[in-house]
């Protein structure tokens, strides 16, 4: 058995695969301990709040250990796989934890990054120089395969402090004054947040969950005796934190005790759902929403759609009502540019955008995604149709990149595909308007003085009342309605 030195082991850390993301879930491992990997080879697939992404390894070697099993949510910057770049046979020294145990038992991955972090950083300078000078290109948003890409911004939370500071300092940071331990306690992110809110140091909690995982009940049990122990000097700063959350402790613990798996199913909130919930709550309780409605006759627009399908310039492109509605909104924004803006709370400024990144809300198996078409205002109708087709197909296949969902300025959501007449859409954070399209239905309508069956739909425009007055919002909605009722305005106004 070949013995591998610590200096030859490189720790590959979870990269930031999207701007501002802090964690990702490991969906699937494509390698196992003992496998040989090459620079650029995909080793795993992870899911973030924005997209599912494949991660390539940035160096050659033999897989020594997988620090986390599939289905684990890992913080950005934590080591997820160890690779022996010396090209060993994958054998493990007697003093090390077996790679198979690391891949299956959650306890080992926590200790492994802490013990191998320093040796990985102490790799010979020639390794680093080789990586930087190899001319590799970034393969993910926010991630490059050069050696410098492992540098991360300072992280918050006790787990980083425990892994990097001396034992003496860690003992002082211990919330209950118990001796600090070297292994990072095992707990899910919601449990860690609960512990932080209650002022409980997870290093002092006795776990009761499977494989040594700390549960919510463990945290509540640790918090109960911690409250009266306010005489200790180190516990004084935590009294304000413990006092309020302890009132709610029985409320959060009770449902878990009475949970009936035969009658209820509990789904962890993570990934796209977690990001969507945070964004919608933040938007709904930050921007004062106003929604206006208008019901219109779109019979002429539907006729134009059928004519465009026969146009040779539109052959092979997706032509549908959404295409003309998108074009109508772009023209309305051009006529009323103040609607294409955002509110900068920190600077107390209104930021007017001179470009339109048109977001299209898409329901996918992973949840609601809102990718956007960059510089949609500058596209011709065929170009817009092509971009819409690519956006929709990419979203349905689950291949939407994080970059495609950043920087939107105004959005369209088509609730009509579900047979819904209309809705009151919530703004995407950072945007000031969103247009909802209702179902197009054949209804009796007064046309040229007579009641006739016409194709009718209802539009709804929600806008941020901090920067969009009722007059501006009404003019934008009226312009969209006028174009869809009289499509020739696509030419006269466009």
């Amino acid at each position: 058995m070949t013995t591998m030195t610590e200096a030859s082991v490189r720790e590959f850390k979870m990269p930031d695969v999207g701007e501002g993301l802090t964690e990702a879930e490991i969906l699937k491992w494509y390698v196992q301990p003992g496998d040989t990997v090459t620079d650029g080879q995909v080793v795993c697939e992870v899911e973030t709040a924005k997209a599912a992404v494949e991660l390539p390894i940035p160096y050659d070697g033999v897989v020594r250990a997988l620090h986390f099993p599939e289905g684990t949510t890992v913080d950005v910057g934590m080591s997820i796989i160890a690779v022996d770049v010396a090209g060993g046979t994958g054998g493990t020294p007697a003093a090390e934890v077996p790679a198979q145990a690391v891949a299956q038992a959650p306890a080992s991955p926590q200790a492994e990054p802490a013990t191998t972090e320093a040796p990985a950083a102490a790799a010979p300078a020639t390794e680093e120089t080789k990586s930087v000078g190899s001319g590799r290109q970034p393969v993910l948003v926010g991630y490059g395969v050069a050696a410098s890409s492992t540098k991360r911004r300072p992280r918050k939370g006790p787990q980083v402090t425990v892994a990097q500071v001396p034992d003496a300092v860690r003992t002082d940071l211990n919330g209950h004054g118990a001796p600090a331990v070297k292994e990072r306690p095992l707990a899910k992110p919601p449990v860690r947040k609960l512990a932080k809110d209650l002022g409980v140091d997870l290093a002092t909690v006795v776990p009761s969950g499977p494989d040594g995982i700390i549960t919510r009940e463990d945290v509540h049990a640790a918090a109960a005796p911690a409250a009266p122990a306010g005489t200790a000097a180190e516990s004084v700063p935590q009294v304000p934190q413990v006092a309020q959350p302890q009132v709610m402790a029985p409320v959060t613990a009770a449902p878990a005790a009475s949970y009936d798996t035969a009658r209820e199913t509990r789904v962890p909130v993570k990934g796209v759902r977690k990001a969507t919930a945070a964004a919608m709550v933040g938007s709904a309780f930050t921007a004062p929403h106003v929604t206006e409605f208008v019901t219109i006759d779109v019979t002429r627009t539907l006729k134009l759609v059928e004519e465009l399908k026969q146009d040779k310039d539109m052959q092979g492109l997706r032509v549908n009502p959404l295409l003309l509605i998108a074009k109508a909104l772009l023209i309305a924004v051009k006529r009323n540019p103040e609607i294409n803006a955002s509110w900068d709370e920190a600077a107390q400024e209104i930021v007017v955008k001179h470009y339109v990144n048109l977001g299209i809300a898409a329901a996918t198996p992973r949840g609601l995604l809102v990718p956007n078409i960059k510089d949609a205002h500058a596209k011709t109708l065929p170009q817009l149709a092509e971009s819409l087709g690519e956006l929709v197909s990419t979203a349905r296949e689950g291949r939407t990149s994080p970059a495609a969902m950043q920087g939107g300025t105004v959005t369209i959501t088509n609730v009509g595909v579900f047979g819904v007449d209309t809705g009151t859409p919530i703004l995407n954070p950072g945007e000031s308007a969103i247009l909802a399209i209702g179902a197009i239905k054949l209804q009796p309508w007064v046309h040229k003085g007579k009641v006739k069956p016409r194709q009718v739909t209802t539009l709804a425009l929600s806008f941020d009342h901090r920067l969009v007055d009722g007059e501006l919002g009404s003019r934008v909605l009226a312009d969209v309605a006028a174009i869809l009722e009289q499509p020739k305005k696509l030419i006269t106004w466009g």
Side-chain angles (χ1 to χ4, degrees), residues 297-313:
D297 176 6
V298 294
T299 304
R300 292 188 179 92
T301 291
L302 296 188
K303 290 181 179 178
L304 179 57
V305 168
E306 294 304 316
E307 293 175 3
L308 288 174
K309 289 180 179 179
Q310 307 304 319
D311 192 294
K312 63 178 183 180
D313 293 331

Side-chain angles (χ1 to χ4, degrees), residues 308-309 311-319 323 381-382 385:
L308 288 174
K309 289 180 179 179
D311 192 294
K312 63 178 183 180
D313 293 331
M314 304 296 288
Q315 291 300 311
L317 299 175
R318 184 189 297 269
V319 180
L323 172 62
L381 193 63

Side-chain angles (χ1 to χ4, degrees), residues 57-338:
I57 199 78
Y59 26 75
D60 302 333
V62 176
V63 177
R64 180 173 183 178
L66 307 180
H67 294 321
F68 297 95
E70 295 175 356
T72 304
T73 299
V74 182
D75 291 340
V76 168
M78 293 191 67
S79 297
I80 59 175
I81 180 174
V83 175
D84 176 24
V85 295
T89 60
T92 305
E96 298 293 335
V97 179
Q100 292 81 358
V102 172
Q104 298 177 4
S108 297
Q110 307 298 338
E112 184 73 13
T115 58
T116 59
E117 190 86 23
T126 54
E127 293 287 346
E128 301 297 331
T129 305
K130 180 179 178 182
S131 298
V132 174
S134 59
R136 294 191 290 264
Q137 298 298 321
V139 292
L140 296 173
V141 175
Y143 163 69
V145 294
S148 60
S149 66
T150 58
K151 295 181 180 179
R152 300 293 170 192
R153 58 184 178 275
R155 297 179 52 75
K156 299 178 180 179
Q159 62 270 32
V160 173
T161 306
V162 172
Q164 297 180 359
V165 299
D167 289 346
V169 178
R170 285 155 52 186
T171 303
D172 293 338
L173 294 177
N174 190 318
H176 295 301
V181 294
K182 294 183 178 181
E183 292 190 359
R184 180 173 180 265
L186 294 178
K188 296 181 178 180
V191 177
R192 294 186 182 280
K193 183 178 185 302
L194 175 64
K196 181 179 179 182
D197 293 340
L198 297 180
V200 175
D201 183 356
L202 289 177
T204 66
V205 178
V206 178
S208 63
D211 299 318
I213 296 178
I214 298 174
T215 66
R216 296 177 64 90
E217 289 71 22
D218 296 335
V219 174
H220 285 303
T231 55
E234 61 270 21
S235 65
V236 173
Q238 298 186 22
V239 172
Q241 300 178 15
V242 176
Q244 293 301 326
Q246 277 190 316
V247 177
M248 299 301 295
V251 178
T252 56
S258 60
Y259 174 43
D260 185 353
T261 57
R263 296 171 59 86
E264 299 177 358
T265 299
R266 300 200 174 204
V267 180
V269 179
K270 57 184 179 180
V272 173
R273 175 56 55 196
K274 182 178 180 179
T276 300
M280 293 299 96
V281 170
S283 176
F285 294 99
T286 300
H289 284 54
V290 173
T291 305
E292 294 186 339
F293 308 90
V294 61
T295 302
I296 57 174
D297 176 6
V298 294
T299 304
R300 292 188 179 92
T301 291
L302 296 188
K303 290 181 179 178
L304 179 57
V305 168
E306 294 304 316
E307 293 175 3
L308 288 174
K309 289 180 179 179
Q310 307 304 319
D311 192 294
K312 63 178 183 180
D313 293 331
M314 304 296 288
Q315 291 300 311
L317 299 175
R318 184 189 297 269
V319 180
N320 53 24
L322 176 60
L323 172 62
L324 295 186
I325 293 172
K327 191 63 176 179
L329 178 59
L330 291 171
I331 293 175
V333 171
K334 179 181 178 181
R335 287 166 54 85
N336 305 275
E338 297 86 359

Side-chain angles (χ1 to χ4, degrees), residues 297 299 443-454 456:
D297 176 6
T299 304
Q443 297 183 14
W445 192 264
V446 178
H447 178 67
K448 296 181 179 179
K450 297 181 180 180
V451 177
K452 297 182 178 181
R454 305 286 287 181
V456 177

